[in-house]
Amino acid sequence: MQVATRFKRLRRWLHEHPVIADALFAASLFTVYIGSTVVLSAAAAPEADFGWSEIGSIAVAMAPIALRRKWLWAAVVLTIGIMAAAIVLDHPWLIGDNGFTWLVLTYTAAAHRPLPRALVISAIMWIPVTGSVFFYYWPVQEGQVTNASLISLLNWVMAATAFWVGWVMRNRRMKLEELADRARVAEESQEALAAQAVADEQRRIARELHDVVAHHISVIGVMSEGAKRVLRTDPDAAEEALTTVNQTARTALREMRDILTVLRRGQEEGGNAELEPQPTVDSLRALVSQTKEAGLPVRYHVRGEEYPLPTGVSLAVYRIAQEALTNTIKHAGPKAKAGVVVDYGEDEFRIAIGDSGRGAPVITHFSGGHGLIGMRERATLYGGSLQAGPQPGGGYLVEARFPKNAHLQGVNR
C-alpha cells in the first residue's frame, strides 16, 4: 500500500515537472542505446572504434528529447541545428544517432498538439532529413541513390508510425479527459440535486412544524388565558379549559414526535416508525371542533357531492385551513367569528376560510414556508392557487382552489 502511494506521488511529481521527467526519459534511451551499441559492436565488429567521441555525439543527439513537452519547438529547432552541424562537420555518425530523437519528437507532436500543427511540425522535421539522405549521407558513399530512396521511404514509414501512435494516444487521452469531465459534471449535478432535495425537505419539515406548533400553541394560549379569567368565578369552566389545554399539548407533542421520527427513520437502518395517518379533509370537522373549544365560533359547511382527494392535496387543504384558523385566533379579535366552506365543484375543488375580525396582516411577513407564503406553496404544489386578504366589508378571507386534474391525480374513481 505504501509502495503504491509513493508511486502515485512520484508520478504526480513527474507530471508537474515535465522537463525533469523528459530528461530522465532521454537518459534512459541514451543508456539503452549505448548498451546495445557496445554489445553489437563487440559481437559484430570488434575492430570498430567506439569511444568517448561517439558516446558524446549520441548524448548530444538525444539531448533535445528533454525539451520535448515543455518547449517542443525549441527541441525541433535544436535537432535540426544538430543535423546541420553534423553535415558541416562531416559527421555522418551523428546524423544516424539522431534518428531516435526525430521519432520521439514526431510522436510528441502528434500526442500533444492539434492535428494540423502536429503535421506541420512533422513536415518541418522530416523534409530536411530526406534532403540530407539524398544529398549528403548516401551520395558520399559511392552514390547509392537507390539505397537513399529506400532509406527515405523507411524513414517516412517510421515517422508515420510514430505519428499515428502519438495521434492515437492523444485521442485516447482526450477521450479519458472528456469522460472525466462528464463524470465530474454528473457528480456536481448529483450533488446539486441532492442539495436541492435536502433544501426542499427542510422547507417541507419547517412548514409542517410551523403548522403543527402554531395552531396548537395558539389554542393553548387562548384556553389558558380563558381558564385564568374564570378560575375563581367558574371553576368547572376553568377545569374544562385546562383539560383542553392538556389534550392540545399532548396532541402537539405527539405530532412533533411523529415528524422527528420520520427524520430519524431516514438515518437508521430498519427503522419502522408507527406513525398516525396524516390529517386529511375528513379531519376538518375535528379541527373546527378544536377551534370552537379554543373560544372561536366556527361554522363548517360542505357543498357538492364529496369525492376522494389524493393524500397530498388533502393534507394541503387541511394545513391551509389550520393555518388560516390559527391566524384568526391570534389576530381577528375576541368578538370574531369564522366560517369554513368546502366546495366539491365539478371543475375545481375550493376551500374558503373567512372571519369577521380585524384581519391578520402579520402573516404576510412570514417567509420560507410559514404563514401566507407557506399556504400558497402548498396550493401551487398541486397546481392550485391561493388568495388571501381583508374583505371590503370587514374580516379576512383565505381561499384556495385546486383544478379538477389536481384532485384526480392518483385517485381511483
Side-chain angles (χ1 to χ4, degrees):
M1 191 67 179
Q2 293 181 353
V3 175
T5 303
R6 291 176 180 177
F7 181 72
K8 289 181 179 179
R9 291 178 180 176
L10 177 61
R11 286 189 59 185
R12 188 183 305 113
W13 186 84
L14 291 176
H15 181 74
E16 295 172 353
H17 300 81
V19 176
I20 297 177
D22 291 335
L24 293 174
F25 176 60
S28 300
L29 284 179
F30 172 78
T31 303
V32 172
Y33 188 79
I34 289 295
S36 61
T37 301
V38 170
V39 172
L40 292 176
S41 297
E47 70 282 358
D49 185 12
F50 186 78
W52 290 107
S53 176
E54 288 73 22
I55 293 176
S57 67
I58 295 173
V60 171
M62 292 187 175
I65 294 178
L67 310 178
R68 68 186 187 98
R69 284 187 296 174
K70 185 70 172 179
W71 299 292
L72 177 58
W73 277 109
V76 171
V77 172
L78 181 59
T79 303
I80 296 175
I82 292 173
M83 184 186 68
I87 294 175
V88 171
L89 298 175
D90 193 17
H91 199 322
W93 180 281
L94 184 59
I95 298 177
D97 291 337
N98 211 17
F100 275 112
T101 303
W102 296 102
L103 295 175
V104 171
L105 295 183
T106 302
Y107 166 85
T108 304
H112 297 279
R113 295 294 186 274
L115 182 60
R117 190 177 302 176
L119 290 172
V120 171
I121 294 175
S122 300
I124 290 175
M125 287 192 299
W126 287 98
I127 290 176
V129 171
T130 303
S132 69
V133 171
F134 273 99
F135 298 106
Y136 171 74
Y137 192 72
W138 283 102
V140 300
Q141 296 186 6
E142 301 176 0
Q144 300 177 11
V145 179
T146 302
N147 288 340
S149 300
L150 292 177
I151 291 298
S152 296
L153 178 61
L154 180 61
N155 284 341
W156 281 101
V157 169
M158 291 190 298
T161 302
F163 189 94
W164 179 78
V165 173
W167 183 71
V168 169
M169 293 301 295
R170 172 181 170 82
N171 289 340
R172 180 177 179 274
R173 185 178 67 253
M174 293 181 65
K175 187 66 176 178
L176 292 176
E177 291 176 355
E178 181 182 356
L179 293 176
D181 289 340
R182 289 183 180 180
R184 178 180 54 79
V185 171
E187 184 178 357
E188 292 176 355
S189 300
Q190 186 67 24
E191 291 177 356
L193 291 175
Q196 182 63 38
V198 170
D200 292 342
E201 185 66 11
Q202 288 176 343
R203 284 194 295 270
R204 185 190 69 80
I205 293 169
R207 188 167 52 231
E208 290 294 323
L209 286 172
H210 171 267
D211 292 343
V212 169
V213 174
H215 177 75
H216 293 302
I217 294 301
S218 297
V219 172
I220 290 173
V222 172
M223 297 302 294
S224 59
E225 183 67 23
K228 186 175 69 172
R229 291 180 179 178
V230 299
L231 181 61
R232 296 183 179 179
T233 59
D234 193 349
D236 294 335
E239 182 179 359
E240 183 179 351
L242 291 176
T243 300
T244 302
V245 168
N246 181 270
Q247 294 174 349
T248 304
R250 291 177 181 272
T251 301
L253 288 174
R254 183 176 64 253
E255 293 188 17
M256 290 181 63
R257 184 169 57 249
D258 290 345
I259 294 174
L260 295 176
T261 302
V262 172
L263 293 177
R264 288 194 299 269
R265 185 176 57 178
Q267 301 175 353
E268 298 176 356
E269 296 183 0
N272 296 319
E274 298 180 358
L275 305 181
E276 294 185 357
Q278 290 277 25
T280 63
V281 174
D282 297 333
S283 307
L284 287 176
R285 288 183 173 84
L287 176 65
V288 169
S289 299
Q290 188 183 46
T291 306
K292 288 180 180 179
E293 294 177 357
L296 175 66
V298 183
R299 296 183 62 183
Y300 181 73
H301 183 64
V302 178
R303 297 175 182 172
E305 183 180 354
E306 297 185 16
Y307 43 74
L309 299 176
T311 304
V313 176
S314 192
L315 175 61
V317 170
Y318 179 89
R319 292 304 188 195
I320 289 172
Q322 185 182 49
E323 176 69 20
L325 291 175
T326 299
N327 283 287
T328 299
I329 293 174
K330 293 194 294 184
H331 304 293
K335 297 182 179 180
K337 297 180 180 180
V340 178
V341 177
V342 177
D343 186 0
Y344 291 87
E346 294 183 359
D347 298 326
E348 64 179 8
F349 175 86
R350 183 176 68 92
I351 181 171
I353 306 97
D355 64 65
S356 60
R358 298 190 298 263
V362 177
I363 64 172
T364 61
H365 297 163
F366 285 102
S367 62
H370 299 156
L372 181 59
I373 294 178
M375 290 190 287
R376 183 168 287 112
E377 285 181 354
R378 289 187 182 276
T380 56
L381 181 62
Y382 296 96
S385 61
L386 185 134
Q387 294 181 347
Q391 298 303 296
Y396 200 88
L397 177 66
V398 176
E399 185 177 60
R401 298 173 180 267
F402 295 88
K404 187 72 172 180
N405 59 358
H407 61 64
L408 287 180
Q409 294 175 358
V411 179
N412 296 322
R413 295 294 300 275

